[in-house]
Structures are given as structure tokens and as C-alpha cells.
Amino acid sequence: MGGENINPEISVVVPVFNEEDNIVAFVNRLTPVLKEIGTYEVIFAMDPGNDRTEEILIIVSTGNPNIKYLKLSRRFGQPAATMAGIYYSVGRYVVVI
């Protein structure tokens, strides 16, 4: 969990499971809005699935240091993924999507 912003204004936590078709479009729509707000981080908290979600998260997080992802060791479910993302967030404000 590295990144450009040590103290971002806002952290957005996004629990994901089998979301390979949605991540790129989501990031492309979300990041311009967050840039207008100020400093930010997006934390994808991923329950392991059976699609390419992790591969896509690696690509988008490599291209933008403000995007991070956590991979849970097994399928814990959306509430646990959400809590993990909140735990690792460092923003002044935290939003869960």
C-alpha cells in the first residue's frame, strides 16, 4: 500500500468481487471528480474471485499511485472487505462505494 499522497483529503473504499468488466470505466469516471476535490486515494478491497479483477486492479494501480488495492486471503464477503479498506485508508474523509 504505497502511494503519492501521504495525507489525502478523501479516501474512497470500494469492495469488489468479480468486477473485471467495471473497474476501468469506474476509475475513468471517478478520478476526474476526485482530482477536483483535491488529494485522494481509491482503495479497492478485493475478495478473491474467478475472473480478471486482480489483473485489472494491478494495471490501474500501476498507472495511478493514488489507486491501491487489497487482496483478502480468501472470500470473507463485502462487509469484511469494506472494513479492511476503511482500516487501511488514510484520508481525512472516507467514503465507501
Side-chain angles (χ1 to χ4, degrees):
M1 297 273 314
E4 183 176 285
N5 295 312
I6 295 171
N7 294 310
E9 185 71 13
I10 188 167
S11 296
V12 178
V13 175
V14 186
V16 292
F17 174 72
N18 288 343
E19 294 291 342
E20 70 177 319
D21 294 332
N22 302 313
I23 292 170
V24 172
F26 176 78
V27 167
N28 288 342
R29 291 187 71 171
L30 180 66
T31 53
V33 174
L34 292 174
K35 285 179 185 177
E36 287 191 26
I37 293 172
T39 56
Y40 70 93
E41 68 178 352
V42 178
I43 301 173
F44 288 96
M46 184 186 76
D47 265 328
N50 54 9
D51 71 352
R52 296 178 47 240
T53 296
E54 182 176 10
E55 179 183 333
I56 294 167
L57 288 174
I58 290 169
I59 293 167
V60 297
S61 65
T62 299
N64 183 340
N66 299 317
I67 298 175
K68 305 159 187 169
Y69 82 97
L70 302 169
K71 179 182 177 184
L72 280 66
S73 61
R74 65 174 178 82
R75 177 118 169 85
F76 286 96
Q78 182 267 333
T82 300
M83 291 307 298
I86 292 170
Y87 178 80
Y88 281 100
S89 65
V90 295
R92 183 173 177 191
Y93 304 101
V94 179
V95 175
V96 176
I97 295 182

